[in-house]
Amino acid sequence: PHLLFTLSGMAAWTYFSSVVAGAGGSIISSQQMVSKVYFPRLLLPLSKAVGALVDLAVVLVILTIMLFWYGFAPSSTIVYLPAFIFLAILAGVGVGLWISAMSIRFRDFMYVTPLLLRLGMFITPIAYPVSSVGEKWETLMYLNPMTGIIEGMRWSILGIHPPTEGLTLSIIVVAVVFISGLIVFNRIERKIADII
């Protein structure tokens, strides 16, 4: 059923967007504490990723109820779900670190984030499979790190649309975004108290 298909995609996207939005504004919203007390500033964006896991768990419980309502048992591929959740954490924190670092430098960047997330939702295959865009566009779609994660979560929960070679590309993009986000954030972290 299309509802299960879309809900399994929305579970991953909702988690990702809440982590990105929370982590992106975490330093600015805690500027009083950041300027007075020293602690590893990386804890602020990471705490948003941990807090959003509660929301993800609630969505997954609702999805499980819906699976049984429609007469579907979770697929045997459900054992791979934690790996895709971990990838969603890395993607959300990585993008959140980038946005946080940009927001420290350019305060107006915080106001652009919701628009970027809304646009990202439309170019991410939440309500449609990647295969529907045609073979020549699939590689481009997998440059969006959430494409591979959503397709993987959908496969692990429903057992449909197994991930293709594009999943490897998405994993590489997630790793690049996360590592580069850490590097940029660590460079800015040394100057945070002065900038804020």
Side-chain angles (χ1 to χ4, degrees):
H2 191 69
L3 180 65
L4 295 178
F5 183 86
T6 305
L7 188 58
S8 60
M10 277 304 291
W13 179 261
T14 304
Y15 175 77
F16 173 77
S17 62
S18 65
V19 171
V20 169
S26 62
I27 299 293
I28 300 299
S29 64
S30 303
Q31 62 186 355
Q32 296 294 329
M33 183 172 59
V34 167
S35 60
K36 291 187 169 104
V37 179
Y38 178 76
F39 62 95
R41 279 20 180 245
L42 187 60
L43 291 177
L44 291 172
L46 288 177
S47 69
K48 302 302 179 183
V50 173
L53 282 173
V54 175
D55 294 338
L56 178 63
V58 170
V59 172
L60 290 177
V61 166
I62 292 169
L63 181 58
T64 304
I65 292 168
M66 296 298 288
L67 278 171
F68 288 114
W69 177 267
Y70 279 101
F72 281 89
S75 170
S76 62
T77 55
I78 195 81
V79 296
Y80 296 105
L81 183 62
F84 292 108
I85 291 174
F86 179 71
L87 286 173
I89 292 170
L90 290 182
V93 170
V95 173
L97 289 174
W98 267 103
I99 290 176
S100 184
M102 299 303 282
S103 297
I104 292 166
R105 279 277 191 215
F106 313 103
R107 296 292 171 99
D108 292 339
F109 202 78
M110 279 178 40
Y111 303 111
V112 178
T113 304
L115 175 65
L116 293 176
L117 286 172
R118 234 172 251 124
L119 289 173
M121 189 171 98
F122 290 110
I123 62 170
T124 304
I126 295 169
Y128 57 91
V130 176
S131 57
S132 67
V133 299
E135 280 187 41
K136 67 178 186 176
W137 296 103
E138 276 190 38
T139 303
L140 190 61
M141 289 286 289
Y142 277 105
L143 286 175
N144 174 353
M146 286 308 293
T147 298
I149 294 168
I150 286 175
E151 288 286 304
M153 281 185 76
R154 191 173 284 143
W155 167 71
S156 66
I157 293 169
L158 302 175
I160 58 171
H161 301 292
T164 61
E165 306 82 39
L167 177 62
T168 306
L169 181 59
S170 278
I171 291 171
I172 291 169
V173 172
V174 167
V176 168
V177 166
F178 181 73
I179 292 168
S180 62
L182 272 177
I183 291 168
V184 169
F185 187 83
N186 283 333
R187 283 186 183 163
I188 298 255
E189 182 186 20
R190 299 178 198 136
K191 309 171 193 169
I192 285 178
D194 299 331
I195 296 171
I196 290 182

